[in-house]
């Protein structure tokens, strides 16, 4: 009898090389061998021909609970499994439950665990009225990072963290080694721009971009990295829509600072003059979708290694919150978990970017960033056997047709994709068979960073 539970043979895509005629062998939910040539026997063995075998994606930015009684983990993780995302990192801005204490973390873990079909990690944040007092207790409760915002979307659910408080929070986080991620829009500058747009009478698709011009994003980006430099805290910009932002991040890294930066898949796919014009509120995202010239700048940063990771910033607002003819009255954000990996593969292939970038930016780097790389992040011996199989089957994406999303709308509906996710494995077990999510609610588990000596010293 074979020593292996599962062997997959095909083109293995790793962060630093592509193994033609490669194979991955799995035992007890872990990768035990990655090789080339004749594949070993196994209790379950698939020769996949020209199919690509990639590590399961780690989506660094998901909002499962932004709207009460809407998506929840039972749906977000279903979409994730169908898209080859085997770990989601969920944001702390849940409607009715700001995740800003150990109690709130424990509540969310208890809430999500019976629903999750893939694994999940959690962000924590702070209540501005409490400040950083509960940061260490949240680290002990297992959060993988912290999230703040320089812009106040809502005083309770998504509050602005003023500069002095942001510095205090960074100082409290620094000894733990975890990263402080920040929504990068300058509050004062955005509010002034919004007033100018309203005074102009512009309310169509153009209003959103005009209300958040590039400088509003770049001012906040500089503040975030400089706060990190002063405090010694790893500083992370959670979504950057501008090529200039990646240049700023690279400059701070060149000076020796921990300055990471995230590009969402919508900034690599959609543009203002075509997609936002057509979709209106369904393409409203903060920061905004930029012109096509900016989109191509971002792909150049993907190619040259300036981007740290790629994520979705997934949120499935009900359609009524995304269809107001007054552009600024719509909720901000779009779903993307089911389609991030195929969209990235399409964009990379069209631009001649090596597909190793997919394994690096959507799996390896986010796993390292959230300190989950003891079990996630690569097709390496000893790590979880989280695997995507992709086959060259061109199809036109439609969120409603798949049945794996709580909403039927998507800004990506109608896009022709050259490669399909034909299987997703979570810890060696089939989670998605190419048409149906077979992982049951409760299959996913809460994953947390390993406790560190730095944390013990910070107590």
């Amino acid at each position: 009898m074979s020593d292996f539970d599962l062997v997959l043979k095909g083109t293995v895509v790793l962060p630093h090389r592509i193994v033609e005629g490669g194979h991955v062998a799995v035992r007890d939910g872990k990768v035990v061998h990655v090789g080339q040539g004749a594949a070993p026997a196994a209790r379950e063995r698939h020769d996949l021909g020209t199919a690509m075998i990639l590590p399961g994606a780690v989506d660094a930015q998901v909002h499962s609970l932004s709207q009460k009684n809407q998506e929840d983990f039972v749906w977000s993780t279903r979409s994730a499994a169908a898209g080859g995302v085997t770990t989601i990192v969920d944001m702390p801005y849940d409607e009715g439950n700001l995740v800003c204490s150990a109690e709130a973390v424990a509540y969310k873990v208890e809430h999500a665990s019976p629903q999750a079909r893939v694994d999940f990690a959690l962000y924590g944040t702070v209540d501005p009225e409490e400040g950083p007092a509960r940061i260490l207790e949240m680290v002990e409760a297992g959060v993988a990072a912290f999230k703040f915002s320089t812009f106040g979307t809502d005083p309770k659910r998504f509050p602005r963290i003023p500069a002095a408080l942001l510095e205090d929070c960074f100082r409290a986080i620094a000894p733990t080694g975890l990263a402080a991620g920040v929504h990068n829009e300058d509050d004062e500058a955005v509010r002034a721009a919004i007033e100018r747009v309203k005074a102009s009478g512009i309310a169509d698709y153009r209003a959103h971009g005009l209300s958040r011009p590039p400088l509003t994003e770049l001012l906040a980006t500089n503040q975030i990295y400089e706060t990190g430099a002063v405090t010694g805290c790893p500083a992370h910009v959670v979504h950057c829509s501008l090529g200039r932002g990646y240049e700023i991040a690279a400059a701070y890294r060149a000076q020796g600072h921990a300055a990471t930066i995230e590009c969402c898949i919508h900034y690599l796919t959609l543009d203002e003059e075509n997609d936002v014009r057509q979709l209106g509120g369904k393409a409203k995202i903060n920061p905004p979708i930029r012109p096509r010239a900016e989109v191509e700048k971002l792909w150049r940063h993907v190619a040259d290694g300036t981007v740290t990771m790629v994520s979705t910033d997934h949120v499935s607002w009900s359609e009524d919150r995304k269809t107001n003819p007054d552009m600024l009255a719509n909720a901000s954000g779009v779903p993307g978990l089911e389609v991030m990996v195929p969209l990235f593969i399409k964009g990379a292939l069209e631009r001649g970017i090596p597909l190793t970038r997919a394994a690096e930016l959507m799996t390896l780097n986010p796993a390292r960033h959230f300190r989950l790389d003891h079990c996630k992040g690569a097709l390496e011996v000893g790590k979880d056997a989280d695997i995507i199989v992709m086959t060259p089957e061109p199809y036109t994406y439609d969120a409603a047709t798949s049945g794996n999303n709580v909403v039927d709308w998507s800004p990506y509906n109608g896009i022709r994709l050259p490669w399909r996710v034909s299987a997703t494995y979570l810890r060696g077990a089939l989670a998605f068979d190419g048409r149906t999510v077979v992982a049951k609610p409760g299959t996913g588990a809460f994953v947390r960073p390993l406790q560190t000596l730095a944390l013990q010293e910070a107590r």
Side-chain angles (χ1 to χ4, degrees):
M1 184 177 288
S2 169
D3 287 336
F4 302 122
D5 300 323
L6 172 70
V7 168
L8 302 175
K9 179 176 173 60
T11 301
V12 181
V13 180
L14 303 173
H16 306 298
R17 65 189 179 109
I18 293 177
V19 183
E20 302 283 353
H23 56 262
V24 178
V26 177
R27 184 191 309 123
D28 297 329
K30 301 288 185 181
V31 176
V32 291
H33 176 69
V34 178
Q36 190 172 26
R43 281 179 277 278
E44 181 181 347
R45 186 178 181 278
H46 299 283
D47 189 336
L48 302 167
T50 60
M52 290 191 290
I53 300 169
L54 300 97
V58 177
D59 190 341
Q61 193 170 178
V62 175
H63 297 262
S64 297
L65 296 166
S66 282
Q67 183 179 345
K68 269 189 174 180
N69 304 316
Q70 174 64 10
E71 182 167 44
D72 221 326
F73 281 83
V74 73
W75 277 105
S76 64
T77 57
R78 179 171 171 171
S79 299
V85 176
T86 49
T87 305
I88 65 170
V89 186
D90 210 74
M91 285 292 176
Y93 302 114
D94 304 339
E95 190 170 51
N97 182 43
L98 190 67
V99 181
C100 58
S101 67
E103 182 181 9
V105 173
Y107 173 83
K108 189 165 183 176
V109 172
E110 183 179 2
H111 173 86
S113 293
Q115 298 188 39
R117 303 171 195 265
V118 301
D119 291 346
F120 65 96
L122 297 178
Y123 264 98
T125 189
V126 299
D127 182 333
E129 295 181 4
E130 288 188 332
R134 297 184 180 275
I135 281 175
L136 288 185
E137 69 176 58
M138 285 186 279
V139 175
E140 293 183 344
V143 298
F146 288 89
K147 170 74 183 297
F148 310 105
S149 181
T150 53
F151 178 78
T153 300
D154 182 275
K156 289 295 184 184
R157 190 185 73 82
F158 205 136
R160 173 183 176 244
I161 305 300
L165 178 54
L166 191 69
E167 180 185 351
D168 291 343
C169 292
F170 273 45
R171 289 193 187 280
I173 296 166
T176 74
L178 296 183
V182 189
H183 179 113
N184 51 319
E185 293 183 298
D186 183 87
D187 194 272
E188 182 181 7
V190 169
R191 295 192 187 283
I194 289 173
E195 289 308 311
R196 288 195 297 270
V197 172
K198 288 181 176 179
S200 75
I202 296 173
D204 63 12
Y205 79 95
R206 298 169 295 165
H208 190 49
L210 291 171
S211 74
R212 284 167 150 84
L215 186 59
T216 62
E217 187 177 334
L218 298 174
L219 287 172
T221 296
N222 277 285
Q223 177 196 347
I224 294 160
Y225 288 137
E226 196 59 30
T227 304
V230 168
T231 60
C233 180
H236 179 62
V237 166
V238 298
H239 36 43
C240 180
S241 68
L242 300 162
R244 175 64 181 149
Y246 296 90
E247 295 168 5
I248 293 168
Y252 273 89
R253 288 197 297 271
Q255 295 164 19
H257 303 296
T260 50
I261 191 163
E262 194 168 327
C263 187
C264 299
I265 193 64
H266 42 258
Y267 298 131
L268 294 170
T269 305
L270 308 175
D271 65 54
E272 183 181 38
E273 61 266 42
N274 297 295
D275 301 296
V276 182
R277 181 172 187 158
Q278 176 189 351
L279 295 166
K282 290 182 178 179
K284 185 186 176 211
I285 301 164
N286 295 334
I289 300 297
R290 304 295 183 183
R292 176 53 53 175
E294 204 67 54
V295 175
E296 296 308 321
K297 285 182 185 177
L298 301 191
W299 276 108
R300 289 195 288 275
H301 284 293
V302 166
D304 69 19
T306 314
V307 178
T308 308
M309 64 187 84
V310 170
S311 68
T312 61
D313 199 3
H314 170 99
V315 58
S316 292
W317 298 111
S318 56
E319 196 162 3
D320 62 295
R321 295 198 183 189
K322 297 292 286 181
T323 51
N324 195 309
D326 179 356
M327 186 68 170
L328 297 184
N330 292 287
S332 295
V334 299
L337 274 163
E338 188 180 37
V339 76
M340 172 180 70
V341 175
L343 284 170
F344 186 89
I345 295 296
K346 169 184 168 68
L349 288 172
E350 288 175 347
R351 293 163 179 84
I353 295 172
L355 294 185
T356 52
R357 281 279 188 256
E360 179 185 7
L361 298 182
M362 293 187 288
T363 306
L364 178 64
N365 286 1
R368 286 176 173 172
H369 178 82
F370 294 107
R371 300 201 164 196
L372 304 176
D373 53 329
H374 59 287
C375 60
K376 302 294 183 183
L379 297 176
E380 291 179 355
V381 174
K383 295 190 177 180
D384 288 353
D386 296 345
I387 303 168
I388 311 170
V389 176
M390 299 194 74
T391 49
E393 300 176 66
Y395 70 106
T396 300
Y397 182 68
D398 183 80
T401 301
S402 79
N404 291 315
N405 305 281
V406 73
V407 293
D408 292 341
W409 71 271
S410 167
Y412 310 115
N413 280 349
I415 293 179
R416 189 76 174 164
L417 296 164
W419 287 75
R420 179 190 296 273
V421 175
S422 59
T424 303
Y425 292 85
L426 175 68
R427 288 178 265 114
L430 187 66
F432 175 65
D433 65 7
R435 292 292 181 269
T436 304
V437 173
V438 297
K440 301 298 183 185
T443 303
F446 176 50
V447 289
R448 53 182 293 165
L450 292 176
Q451 292 289 340
T452 64
L453 178 61
L455 171 58
Q456 295 170 357
E457 292 172 350
R459 289 174 178 166

